[in-house]
Amino acid sequence: LLRAGGSDDHGHGLEAGQWQVPQEEWPEFIDKRVANHREPRQQTFVQQVGERWLLLSERRTDDGVFVGLRLDYTQMRDREEKQAQAEERARELFEDMVNTVNSLSLGVVVVDADLRCEIINGGFHRIWNTDPQTFGRGSHFRELMDFNRHTGVYSIPDDQWEDYVAGRLDEI
C-alpha cells in the first residue's frame, strides 16, 4: 500500500524490463501511470515483457489510501483474440456464401432457426415476384408465403391454408 503523498518510481519498472514499452514511449507511459495514481478510477491493460498482459485496477479510498489490483489477463486476452479471429473468419465465409447464392439464377432463401430470412437471392425475388425492399434480411418466411398466397404460387384452398403453412414451416 502507498499512502497519499507517497512515491512510486515507475521508471524503475521500465528499466528493469517489467513493462513492454518502447523506450521512446517511456515518458508518455510514466505520465499516464502517474496520472492514474493521482486519480485512480479506471482499469488499464498493460503488456509486460513477453506475452503477459495485466489488468491494472486502481482506486483510492476515502481516507487517501491507494489500492491497486493486478490481474493476469493473458489467457482471457488470448481467448478474446481467438474469438475475434473466428468471428472475422465467420463474416468472411458468410460473405462468400452470400455472393455464391446471389450468383445463382434459381431462387434461394436461407433462414435462421427462427425462420427469419438471412439471405434472399435475386432469383427468388424474380421467381416469386417479390420486392427486395419489402422482403429482405429479417423477414419471416411466413411473410413470404402469405404474400404469395393468392398469386398462383400456392393452390391451397383458404380453409386449408393455416394447416398447410404450419406443416411447411415445421418441415423447414
Side-chain angles (χ1 to χ4, degrees), residues 27-42:
E28 181 182 345
F29 178 83
I30 292 171
D31 288 347
K32 284 182 182 179
R33 295 295 302 132
V34 169
N36 288 347
H37 280 237
R38 287 190 183 130
E39 292 295 327
R41 288 276 179 223
Q42 61 190 27

Side-chain angles (χ1 to χ4, degrees), residues 26-70:
W26 285 11
E28 181 182 345
F29 178 83
I30 292 171
D31 288 347
K32 284 182 182 179
R33 295 295 302 132
V34 169
N36 288 347
H37 280 237
R38 287 190 183 130
E39 292 295 327
R41 288 276 179 223
Q42 61 190 27
Q43 294 182 336
T44 308
F45 296 96
V46 180
Q47 186 174 13
Q48 288 196 305
V49 173
E51 298 297 319
R52 187 171 172 201
W53 282 86
L54 291 182
L55 170 60
L56 311 178
S57 181
E58 300 169 335
R59 303 281 187 266
R60 191 171 300 282
T61 64
D62 291 340
D63 62 352
V65 175
F66 176 87
V67 179
L69 173 69
R70 306 300 185 254

Side-chain angles (χ1 to χ4, degrees), residues 2 12 18 24-25 30-31 62-64 66-67 71 75 83 95 99 103 107 116-117 125 129-130 151 158 166 169:
L2 297 175
H12 176 73
Q18 180 181 4
E24 63 272 8
E25 296 177 18
I30 292 171
D31 288 347
D62 291 340
D63 62 352
F66 176 87
V67 179
L71 173 67
Q75 289 180 346
Q83 181 176 349
E95 188 176 314
N99 291 335
S103 71
R116 298 229 166 255
C117 298
H125 287 296
N129 196 30
T130 58
T151 63
D158 286 347
L169 295 178

Side-chain angles (χ1 to χ4, degrees), residues 129-144:
N129 196 30
T130 58
D131 179 11
Q133 301 301 327
T134 305
F135 299 105
R137 188 169 189 191
S139 298
H140 196 279
F141 193 77
R142 166 76 192 241
E143 296 173 57
L144 294 170

Side-chain angles (χ1 to χ4, degrees), residues 124-131 135 141-156 161 164:
F124 181 90
H125 287 296
R126 188 179 64 260
I127 293 166
W128 281 46
N129 196 30
T130 58
D131 179 11
F135 299 105
F141 193 77
R142 166 76 192 241
E143 296 173 57
L144 294 170
M145 294 181 74
D146 287 339
F147 176 80
N148 277 304
R149 180 177 180 183
H150 300 291
T151 63
V153 172
Y154 302 105
S155 56
I156 307 297
W161 177 250
Y164 174 76

